[in-house]
Amino acid sequence: MVELDDLALVERVRAGDVAAFEPLVERYRHRVYRLARNVLRDSEEALDVAQEAFIRAFQALPTFRGQSAFYTWLFRITLNVASDRARQRAARGRAFGTERVEEDEWDRALVDPGDGPDTSAARAEERRRIARALESLPTHHRAIIMLSDLEGLSYREIAEVLGIPMGTVMSRLHNARKRLRAALGPLLILVLTLLSVVAMTAAAEAQQVVSFGTRVVLASDTPPPPGMRLVPEGPDERLESFLPKLRRIFRYKEYTSLERYRAEVPIGTTQRWPVPGDRQLEVTPEAAAGGAVRFQVRLTRGNLTELTTHIRAQEGSPAVIGGPRHADGVLIIIVWPNPNP
């Protein structure tokens, strides 16, 4: 299948083919997330910002004139959303008298298990100095270093992303590196190493594989009608063990398993399955840490999105989502990481 370029996909979306926006999301989601994360230094907030950036981009497509590349336009939206989020976080911190705690990842990024305690401590201190130096830069200086040294954008592309003249890009980049040089001296060379490690870490996260199972259950006050397809047929021990929680949450009398699916996919890969009522279920693992997995779950019926949400689940503690009405009850979606549903 021939891969369409960005502008061709944009034109298809404008013509009413909403599904044509999905390849654009797949193409740039990792870079958008990485850019947001480098501004915010927070993985969870970066995921939220990435989602909002794509939503804003979709809504603003009628205003995109193609005078710049789609991805530079998208990066500009991402930086605007991330900057807004950073200002909101700073305002909350001032209101409650809190300070942001630096992430441990800066200390873990370049650790060599073979180093002795003294060497490891010295390198950890160097990394803390680098992190503090980057953090001390104004947001516009930090952003321009990330776009240049991490994303590899040209002066012209950075100018399009930030909406500033190319001469200003060159000046800001020079001044940002000058400030880092003053703060770090000989350590400046490690900044580029650190940025490349961050990029490789984001790529490694993107390749992390997650196993999970999804169950679609009909909750109602009456038994399922004759002829309704049930999965699995016969006794369902796993569902039986989970019924007390379902009854406590939804307060229906009957719970019938209609579909169950399993998947083992890299982080960021969307699985799509049919659901009763001519629906389609989309489940995307977005991040995994400490045995917990964050998912995006979306249920559609034709062009109508009936449900979209982000949930966190872990083995032994599945996520439960109440869905739309179906037959004489409602659909319930259950997601288990590392499944045996």
Side-chain angles (χ1 to χ4, degrees), residues 278-334:
D278 295 323
R279 297 177 170 95
Q280 179 173 261
L281 176 65
E282 299 179 3
V283 182
T284 308
E286 296 181 313
V293 182
R294 176 184 166 108
F295 294 92
Q296 181 183 43
V297 179
R298 183 168 176 257
L299 186 65
T300 61
R301 191 173 192 174
N303 293 326
L304 174 66
T305 297
E306 294 186 310
L307 180 152
T308 182
T309 186
H310 294 269
I311 52 94
R312 187 186 301 273
Q314 61 187 76
E315 188 173 11
S317 182
V320 180
I321 307 163
R325 294 200 62 81
H326 180 72
D328 292 330
V330 298
L331 294 179
I332 298 171
I333 300 167
I334 308 173

Side-chain angles (χ1 to χ4, degrees), residues 66-69 71-72 76 152-167 169-170:
Q67 296 174 340
S68 62
Y71 66 86
T72 60
R76 185 192 302 182
L153 269 61
S154 67
Y155 290 153
R156 180 183 61 79
E157 290 172 324
I158 295 172
E160 291 173 356
V161 170
L162 299 179
I164 57 178
M166 193 158 60
V169 171
M170 299 169 69

Side-chain angles (χ1 to χ4, degrees), residues 5-302:
D5 64 26
D6 292 353
L7 293 180
L9 290 168
V10 167
E11 289 307 315
R12 284 179 52 176
V13 177
R14 285 174 161 176
D17 183 4
V18 176
F21 192 68
E22 185 173 337
L24 293 170
V25 175
E26 289 294 317
R27 194 170 292 174
Y28 294 113
R29 58 191 171 84
H30 293 309
R31 296 179 72 182
V32 165
Y33 163 76
R34 187 170 63 196
L35 188 58
R37 190 180 184 284
N38 283 325
V39 173
L40 296 166
R41 304 286 195 268
D42 185 290
S43 300
E44 291 296 321
E45 284 203 282
L47 285 170
D48 290 340
V49 165
Q51 179 182 352
E52 184 174 346
F54 278 114
I55 291 173
R56 289 195 187 182
F58 179 80
Q59 294 171 336
L61 273 183
T63 69
F64 177 65
R65 302 303 178 197
Q67 296 174 340
S68 62
F70 172 79
Y71 66 86
T72 60
W73 180 75
L74 176 62
F75 287 178
R76 185 192 302 182
I77 292 173
T78 303
L79 282 177
N80 288 339
V81 177
S83 298
D84 289 345
R85 184 67 60 93
R87 283 192 292 270
Q88 292 167 5
R89 185 171 62 185
R92 289 197 302 269
R94 289 193 297 272
F96 292 98
T98 60
E99 295 182 359
R100 188 187 65 79
V101 178
E102 291 182 3
E103 292 193 353
D104 292 336
E105 282 148 309
W106 292 102
D107 292 324
R108 292 199 301 267
L110 297 175
V111 170
D112 182 350
D115 289 338
D118 293 341
T119 304
S120 295
R123 290 189 176 180
E125 178 56 30
E126 289 175 353
R127 288 188 291 275
R128 280 191 287 272
R129 285 182 61 193
I130 293 171
R132 286 195 294 268
L134 286 169
E135 196 67 30
S136 71
L137 293 178
T139 300
H140 62 280
H141 278 170
R142 190 166 68 245
I144 211 164
I145 283 183
M146 294 301 176
L147 290 171
S148 172
D149 297 333
L150 181 58
E151 295 299 335
L153 269 61
S154 67
Y155 290 153
R156 180 183 61 79
E157 290 172 324
I158 295 172
E160 291 173 356
V161 170
L162 299 179
I164 57 178
M166 193 158 60
T168 305
V169 171
M170 299 169 69
S171 174
R172 282 189 188 175
L173 192 55
H174 171 77
N175 290 333
R177 287 176 173 158
K178 185 177 179 180
R179 291 185 65 156
L180 283 178
R181 191 178 299 113
L184 297 173
L187 280 178
L188 181 60
I189 191 64
L190 287 183
V191 172
L192 295 181
T193 304
L194 182 62
L195 291 176
S196 66
V197 168
V198 171
M200 289 187 291
T201 300
E205 286 178 355
Q207 295 305 310
Q208 185 177 5
V209 174
V210 172
S211 300
F212 65 95
T214 302
R215 183 79 69 104
V216 180
V217 174
L218 174 65
S220 63
D221 287 325
T222 58
M228 177 175 282
R229 177 174 174 268
L230 308 181
V231 178
E233 296 181 359
D236 190 345
E237 294 180 1
R238 178 126 192 188
L239 182 59
E240 288 292 331
S241 68
F242 201 56
L243 281 181
K245 181 174 182 178
L246 292 180
R247 290 195 173 104
R248 187 168 60 252
I249 296 173
F250 294 99
R251 301 187 181 279
Y252 282 94
K253 297 177 182 178
E254 301 285 338
Y255 296 86
T256 306
S257 181
L258 303 183
E259 302 286 356
R260 66 175 181 176
Y261 301 104
R262 299 182 187 181
E264 186 171 348
V265 296
I267 292 290
T269 302
T270 299
Q271 291 295 110
R272 296 176 177 83
W273 296 297
V275 170
D278 295 323
R279 297 177 170 95
Q280 179 173 261
L281 176 65
E282 299 179 3
V283 182
T284 308
E286 296 181 313
V293 182
R294 176 184 166 108
F295 294 92
Q296 181 183 43
V297 179
R298 183 168 176 257
L299 186 65
T300 61
R301 191 173 192 174

